[in-house]
Amino acid sequence: MKKVFKIILTICMLFMLVMPVSADEKMINFVSPDGKLIFETNYNENDYYLEINSDDSFIIYTVYDNDDNFKESWSFEKLEYLKTSTFGTRSISTYRHYNTKDIGAFSGKLNHEVVFELYSSGSFSQFNSLKYDIFYVEGWSYYSLGDHASSITPAVNGGWPTTKVQVDYSTVVLAILNSNVNLEYSGKLISAGFSAGTNFTYSKLVTNSYTIQTMA
């Protein structure tokens, strides 16, 4: 079963990489809080909008559809933002963001933490390497993380270091219920795109694709 899931995940990521985008479509892009990076999404500005907010710890860029439904967000820790905003002439630092995507039911969220090593010199920046990335789910006690795969690769230069990276991932989110709650929750899970398996287990494949490019 795991082998089958991995094949499906790989196919999905390849599909995301080759999907054409019409020249007439204008996608939502935004600049990171420190002004060093451009995030390029696959959300059409005609159908979605971007909101920027902050709390005590994070600066948050959130995409909503035109019916005000949450779709996805990127969060930046204020402490790291301040640290990377005060680079000297040359500096190497850790650069982190959290991507959060809507699962579709019961306030579920899929989180993807991505951490790079970033080099800066004056107005120039580049990604030296990917340090690590981590997935986790939140929002409902019955959710858990299934098989997952990510591809975070240089989009220019043919390797690291690079000034642009492509982020793709495919993750199976599981909802593992029991006989007492299955009847109550199964309908909403199916409506949200989950597939029913055995032993009151439901699964949904969540995918994403976006690029990050340095400003200079």
Side-chain angles (χ1 to χ4, degrees):
M1 180 63 75
K2 285 191 174 182
K3 183 178 289 187
V4 173
F5 268 131
K6 288 180 180 178
I7 293 172
I8 294 173
L9 297 179
T10 302
I11 291 172
C12 287
M13 285 195 294
L14 290 173
F15 178 71
M16 288 189 290
L17 288 171
V18 300
M19 283 180 64
V21 176
S22 168
D24 297 329
E25 294 182 343
K26 189 173 181 182
M27 301 302 173
I28 291 176
N29 297 335
F30 64 87
V31 177
S32 60
D34 59 2
K36 292 183 179 294
L37 305 177
I38 301 172
F39 283 68
E40 302 171 347
T41 81
N42 290 314
Y43 290 100
N44 192 312
E45 287 187 349
N46 294 325
D47 303 315
Y48 303 89
Y49 66 93
L50 182 72
E51 220 174 63
I52 304 173
N53 293 290
S54 65
D55 57 26
D56 292 341
S57 302
F58 292 93
I59 298 173
I60 307 163
Y61 295 70
T62 306
V63 174
Y64 298 92
D65 65 20
N66 288 338
D67 293 322
D68 301 324
N69 296 308
F70 170 84
K71 304 305 292 184
E72 184 172 353
S73 68
W74 288 262
S75 302
F76 304 84
E77 290 186 75
K78 284 185 175 179
L79 288 177
E80 291 201 2
Y81 155 62
L82 292 172
K83 184 170 57 181
T84 56
S85 296
T86 55
F87 279 164
T89 305
R90 294 183 180 181
S91 182
I92 294 176
S93 181
T94 297
Y95 200 100
R96 181 193 324 268
H97 72 267
Y98 303 86
N99 174 242
T100 303
K101 194 158 187 182
D102 181 41
I103 292 174
F106 303 111
S107 302
K109 302 289 189 298
L110 173 66
N111 293 288
H112 185 211
E113 178 184 353
V114 183
V115 182
F116 296 100
E117 180 180 275
L118 186 72
Y119 168 81
S120 293
S121 178
S123 62
F124 174 79
S125 296
Q126 68 180 19
F127 299 98
N128 279 352
S129 63
L130 171 68
K131 298 188 78 170
Y132 63 85
D133 67 311
I134 299 173
F135 290 94
Y136 54 96
V137 291
E138 64 175 355
W140 197 39
S141 60
Y142 292 103
Y143 282 139
S144 61
L145 190 65
D147 289 332
H148 54 276
S150 61
S151 174
I152 304 174
T153 56
V156 294
N157 300 349
W160 307 96
T162 184
T163 56
K164 186 174 184 178
V165 294
Q166 176 73 39
V167 180
D168 298 291
Y169 65 73
S170 296
T171 301
V172 175
V173 175
L174 300 174
I176 303 175
L177 309 184
N178 56 57
S179 58
N180 295 326
V181 299
N182 182 65
L183 186 61
E184 180 180 357
Y185 298 137
S186 60
K188 190 167 184 179
L189 289 169
I190 296 298
S191 297
F194 281 78
S195 299
T198 58
N199 299 321
F200 309 113
T201 297
Y202 299 81
S203 62
K204 180 179 181 179
L205 185 65
V206 180
T207 63
N208 207 0
S209 179
Y210 60 92
T211 61
I212 315 170
Q213 185 168 358
T214 60
M215 291 289 287

